[in-house]
């Protein structure tokens, strides 16, 4: 087996003649083998919340609570409001209101309940 050839040094490279660069008109762009004829976008979304279930009634937080479901014919809005505590736990407003009649703490972590925000 022979010895590998030594790489050209910088001095040898600079002493050689410059290579002519082709002009931009001489460079042929390769033809794209694919052509986009139709495009269908698919997207997923979700509410920007960590809590997705009311821990009191066990319904999804964006659905009606059990009280609103029972009184649905009488209810005209068809909407059940969400109440957030300072502990970042969320419950249906009707559910947490009933809970607070007996205990003034969060049902999940037993911290004193304070409303942080109210609404959707």
């Amino acid at each position: 087996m022979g010895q590998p050839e030594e790489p050209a040094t910088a001095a040898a490279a600079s002493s050689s003649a410059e290579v002519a660069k082709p002009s931009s008109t001489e460079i042929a762009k390769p033809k794209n083998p694919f052509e986009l004829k139709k495009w269908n976008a698919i997207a997923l979304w979700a509410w920007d919340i960590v809590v997705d279930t009311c821990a009191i009634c066990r319904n999804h937080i964006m659905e009606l609570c059990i009280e609103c479901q029972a009184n649905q014919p009488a209810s005209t809005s068809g909407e059940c409001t969400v109440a957030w505590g300072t502990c970042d736990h969320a419950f249906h407003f009707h559910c947490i209101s009933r809970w607070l009649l007996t205990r003034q703490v969060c049902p999940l972590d037993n911290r004193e309940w304070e409303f942080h925000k109210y609404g959707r």
Side-chain angles (χ1 to χ4, degrees):
M1 300 282 212
Q3 293 279 339
E5 294 182 17
E6 292 185 28
T9 62
S14 64
S15 65
S16 64
E18 277 191 37
V19 177
K21 295 181 181 175
S23 68
S24 61
T25 57
E26 294 174 352
I27 299 175
K29 293 184 179 178
K31 186 177 178 182
N32 191 353
F34 300 103
E35 182 179 335
L36 186 63
K37 300 239 183 215
K38 186 177 179 182
W39 183 62
N40 291 325
I42 299 174
L44 297 173
W45 69 275
W47 294 101
D48 189 21
I49 57 173
V50 177
V51 179
D52 62 343
T53 306
C54 175
I56 299 171
C57 70
R58 300 289 186 197
N59 284 353
H60 193 275
I61 201 76
M62 295 301 160
E63 293 176 359
L64 297 176
C65 69
I66 55 174
E67 186 174 326
C68 289
Q69 286 177 355
N71 300 327
Q72 196 167 10
S75 174
T76 58
S77 67
E79 203 174 284
C80 188
T81 313
V82 179
W84 296 83
T86 54
C87 57
D88 285 335
H89 292 129
F91 307 97
H92 294 115
F93 179 73
H94 296 123
C95 296
I96 193 66
S97 295
R98 269 187 286 120
W99 175 271
L100 293 174
L101 292 174
T102 58
R103 300 188 66 199
Q104 293 294 314
V105 296
C106 173
L108 295 177
D109 60 12
N110 281 330
R111 287 193 226 163
E112 186 174 336
W113 179 262
E114 292 180 43
F115 284 102
H116 176 64
K117 61 182 174 178
Y118 173 79
R120 288 265 169 197

